Amino acid sequence: MGAAPKLPGGPWFTGARIRIQVPQPLQYTLSSTYRGTPKAFYGPGVPLIRNDLLGALREAGVDNFELFDAVVKDPVTGQELHDYKAFNVLGLVAAADMDKSRRAPINPDSEMIDVFFDSLVIDPSKSQGLLMFRLAQSVNAIIVHEQVKQAVEKRGIPGMVFYKPEDWSG
């Protein structure tokens, strides 16, 4: 992705509903140097989700998100893609088992928001029954339940990569 919309604040990482006025449709521009097939999901910044991936999330039972109209423009061809939405995950959950997870040496004293993990252990009892949420200890991470992964894989959506928590680093 090239240019993404610039909006005030960082409400897309809070797990809360967006309370600012969001211009619609949000305008995105693909990179002029990457000529592959557009991805199903772009993030960070203001996350962007394609309709087929959105359908898989819904099929899996995920409903804790809000959507905003978006248009993605290819600067080389001029084509506009209308099958995307700006995507806000609702739910910020402190589900990392901090005693069993292994932290990266970057910012080792952090406990919330910007923890870097070499290996993550999720405590399922803390997930609040959500099938998808942002991890409170590292808000750039979106955690999904196995049934969400299976729904996405069943649809054969290309380019989606899932990591087991213990294999995730970030």
Side-chain angles (χ1 to χ4, degrees):
M1 179 69 63
K6 302 288 187 225
L7 296 175
W12 303 90
F13 289 97
T14 66
R17 290 200 175 276
I18 302 294
R19 299 286 183 215
I20 61 171
Q21 184 159 3
V22 176
Q24 293 190 55
L26 287 166
Q27 303 287 324
Y28 292 78
T29 304
L30 292 173
S31 169
S32 61
T33 58
Y34 175 77
R35 301 311 311 150
T37 303
K39 298 178 184 179
F41 183 82
Y42 291 98
V46 179
L48 188 63
I49 189 169
R50 199 170 59 208
N51 288 341
D52 57 344
L53 179 54
L54 181 58
L57 294 180
R58 287 180 168 146
E59 179 182 302
V62 176
D63 61 3
N64 60 314
F65 54 83
E66 58 185 343
L67 302 170
F68 301 88
D69 291 334
V71 174
V72 178
K73 186 171 183 174
D74 183 325
V76 175
T77 66
Q79 178 185 15
E80 290 186 351
L81 306 173
H82 295 272
D83 57 341
Y84 284 89
K85 298 283 187 190
F87 179 72
N88 181 36
V89 177
L90 301 175
L92 185 66
V93 181
D97 185 323
M98 297 302 282
D99 292 327
K100 294 179 181 173
S101 296
R102 194 171 61 244
R103 297 179 196 211
I106 303 167
N107 204 7
D109 297 327
S110 183
E111 291 289 326
M112 288 295 210
I113 300 174
D114 62 351
V115 176
F116 286 84
F117 293 98
D118 279 335
S119 180
L120 174 64
V121 175
I122 297 292
D123 180 345
S125 70
K126 295 179 181 177
S127 70
Q128 303 174 17
L130 294 171
L131 299 174
M132 177 181 71
F133 57 87
R134 284 200 179 273
L135 184 63
Q137 290 93 346
S138 186
V139 297
N140 63 320
I142 298 175
I143 307 297
V144 297
H145 189 277
E146 178 68 22
Q147 76 186 49
V148 175
K149 175 184 177 282
Q150 290 173 2
V152 172
E153 290 174 342
K154 177 179 152 188
R155 285 188 175 221
I157 299 169
M160 295 303 299
V161 178
F162 296 94
Y163 295 96
K164 292 180 181 178
E166 62 271 18
D167 296 335
W168 182 72
S169 180

